[in-house]
């Protein structure tokens, strides 16, 4: 079968991948569409360290092909959106409703794929850049059949991370002010999350002025090409500032833009060794810096919720799919996504 692999030096589209049958508690999914997220590119450029060779992709949707023993919530033929959380469901964190903190869901990559007899790692417990992938049952969330697969794929990462950061982590309230630094796939979902939460002022910041139209469509009330003009819109600062790029100087700017009791939420992913700085004295007015993993999501609940919000017209998905590419055009999709020419490139099989 076809898939996109990275061997530590280069990416290539191959057609001789193999995958094992599902074991107990596992689901085999035929991938229909998969979004190309910046995290995939970060594995390739070394920003995110990951063992190789690896099958890339982590934002996908498809059709259940087979299920292992004990799987009852989905069956062959069901449409599903996939999460990256291979959480155990039984530890203290899972029991508290915090599956993103499950230690069995972090740093334990599996190797369900083989190529010419050699095992390949699975990226983010998902590997959606393959015609078929194998996930834990908890990662497969049934969605209505009428949601386009290219749109449904984006729920599993971009929407969960961006909208979830607003609703679950920051808990933006009605009337709050929000600054969003970076309007790529994650930033746009932060913007629409702020709109859904009822934020009064949503300031989008991006150095590319061509992104203003889509940012406003998703809910931005203001658009700026740098953070320098934020204080003109919000003289006392913002209640919430989201850094969605992954640059330490922008982390500092997010912190500096906060009003009293404000909070900066870090969503961008800089290099693993990157360090950011801030003025300690600036934090004593009850300000906070919040990390956020995967939108503090509970995927079985949240994916189903966002799917229904999409069907009601409250959540935008189709507008996120800037361009679709057959998997064979991965390099073009990666170039377009990395160069900022598309908000979200989606690979199709």
């Amino acid at each position: 079968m076809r898939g996109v692999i990275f061997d530590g030096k280069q990416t290539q589209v191959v057609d001789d991948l193999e995958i094992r049958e599902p074991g107990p508690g596992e689901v085999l999914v035929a991938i229909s569409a998969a979004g190309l997220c910046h995290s995939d590119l970060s594995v390739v450029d070394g920003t995110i360290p990951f063992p190789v060779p690896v099958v890339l992709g982590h934002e996908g949707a498809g059709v259940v092909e087979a299920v292992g023993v004990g799987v009852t919530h989905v069956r062959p033929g069901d449409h599903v959106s996939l999460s990256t959380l291979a959480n155990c469901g039984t530890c203290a964190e899972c029991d508290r409703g915090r599956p993103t903190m499950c230690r069995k869901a972090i740093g334990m990559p599996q190797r369900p794929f083989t190529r010419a007899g050699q095992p390949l790692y699975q990226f983010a417990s998902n590997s959606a850049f393959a015609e078929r992938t194998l996930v834990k049952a908890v990662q497969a969330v049934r969605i209505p059949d009428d949601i386009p697969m290219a749109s449904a794929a984006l729920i599993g990462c971009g929407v969960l991370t961006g909208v979830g950061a607003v609703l679950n982590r920051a808990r933006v309230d009605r009337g709050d002010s929000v600054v969003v630094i970076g309007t790529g796939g994650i930033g746009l979902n932060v913007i629409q999350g702020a709109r859904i939460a009822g934020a009064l002022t949503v300031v989008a910041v991006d150095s590319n002025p061509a992104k203003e139209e889509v940012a406003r469509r998703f809910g931005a009330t203001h658009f700026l090409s740098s953070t320098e003009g934020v204080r003109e819109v919000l003289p006392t600062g913002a209640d919430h500032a989201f850094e969605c790029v992954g640059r330490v100087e922008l982390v500092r700017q997010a912190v500096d833009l906060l009003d009293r009791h404000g909070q900066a939420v870090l969503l961008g992913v800089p290099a693993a060794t990157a360090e950011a700085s801030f003025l300690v004295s600036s934090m004593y007015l009850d300000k906070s810096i919040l990390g956020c993993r995967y939108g503090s999501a509970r995927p079985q609940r949240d994916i189903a919720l966002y799917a229904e919000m999409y069907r009601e017209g409250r959540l935008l998905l189709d507008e996120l799919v800037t361009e679709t590419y057959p998997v064979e055009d991965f390099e073009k999709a990666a170039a377009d996504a990395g160069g900022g020419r598309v908000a979200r490139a989606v690979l199709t099989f």
Side-chain angles (χ1 to χ4, degrees):
M1 66 179 184
R2 294 171 297 166
V4 181
I5 66 171
F6 175 60
D7 64 5
K9 297 180 180 179
Q10 64 177 355
T11 57
Q12 56 180 318
V13 180
V14 301
D15 60 7
D16 56 351
L17 282 179
E18 295 182 0
I19 193 167
R20 63 174 174 80
E21 292 298 314
E26 294 180 330
V27 179
L28 181 67
V29 178
I31 296 294
S32 300
L36 176 52
C37 176
H38 192 74
S39 294
D40 299 301
L41 302 178
S42 293
V43 172
V44 176
D45 68 22
T47 301
I48 296 178
F50 204 87
V52 293
V54 58
V55 181
L56 295 174
H58 65 285
E59 187 181 66
V63 179
V64 174
E65 195 163 279
V67 300
V69 174
V71 178
T72 59
H73 75 292
V74 294
R75 60 186 181 182
D78 284 348
H79 289 205
V80 292
S81 179
L82 303 181
S83 86
T84 67
L85 284 184
N87 58 296
C88 70
T90 59
C91 69
E93 296 295 348
C94 287
D95 194 49
R96 294 187 182 105
R98 298 197 293 246
T100 57
M101 295 298 104
C102 175
R103 284 174 169 79
K104 291 187 178 180
I106 303 174
M108 297 182 181
Q110 302 299 307
R111 296 195 288 181
F113 299 95
T114 56
R115 184 183 183 220
Q118 179 187 21
L120 289 85
Y121 285 100
Q122 184 174 39
F123 179 52
S125 302
N126 192 306
S127 289
F129 293 169
E131 286 188 84
R132 293 175 183 80
T133 194
L134 196 64
V135 297
K136 291 184 65 174
V138 72
Q139 295 176 254
V141 184
R142 186 176 179 180
I143 57 173
D145 292 355
D146 59 358
I147 299 181
M149 284 294 189
S151 297
L154 306 187
I155 301 177
C157 179
V159 175
L160 280 182
T161 300
V163 178
V166 174
L167 302 182
N168 302 328
R169 187 69 169 121
R171 297 186 181 275
V172 172
D173 202 358
R174 291 168 296 176
D176 283 357
S177 58
V178 174
V179 174
V180 182
I181 303 175
T183 61
I186 299 300
L188 289 175
N189 277 297
V190 172
I191 291 170
Q192 75 168 332
R195 168 179 54 78
I196 291 168
L200 184 63
T201 306
V202 182
V203 183
V205 180
D206 199 293
S207 59
N208 184 354
K211 294 185 176 183
E212 178 173 1
E213 180 181 355
V214 68
R216 289 187 180 274
R217 187 184 313 153
F218 273 72
T221 59
H222 300 74
F223 184 92
L224 302 171
S225 58
S226 76
T227 59
E228 293 178 2
V230 171
R231 290 286 180 173
E232 295 180 13
V233 180
L234 301 169
T236 62
D239 296 313
H240 313 272
F242 295 82
E243 201 283 334
C244 305
V245 181
R247 288 168 47 187
V248 294
E249 66 271 23
L250 297 179
V251 171
R252 172 60 183 270
Q253 290 174 28
V255 174
D256 289 346
L257 288 171
L258 296 179
D259 195 357
R260 298 182 179 191
H261 205 271
Q263 49 188 17
V265 184
L266 310 186
L267 296 177
V269 182
T273 56
E275 298 182 358
S277 64
F278 60 92
L279 290 174
V280 176
S281 60
S282 72
M283 302 300 293
Y284 291 122
L285 292 173
D286 286 357
K287 299 180 184 181
S288 305
I289 301 174
L290 304 180
C292 183
R293 180 170 190 256
Y294 203 43
S296 301
R298 286 179 278 176
Q300 283 291 333
R301 179 202 69 167
D302 291 347
I303 289 177
L305 171 65
Y306 298 149
E308 285 305 316
M309 291 176 69
Y310 163 78
R311 296 177 83 199
E312 294 173 0
R314 298 170 59 196
L315 184 85
L316 304 180
L317 289 178
D318 301 341
E319 294 82 356
L320 284 167
V321 184
T322 313
E323 190 72 49
T324 59
Y325 305 77
V327 67
E328 290 81 7
D329 288 345
F330 171 78
E331 291 297 336
K332 185 178 188 305
D336 288 349
R341 289 184 288 276
V342 297
R344 217 40 154 209
V346 175
L347 300 181
T348 57
F349 290 87

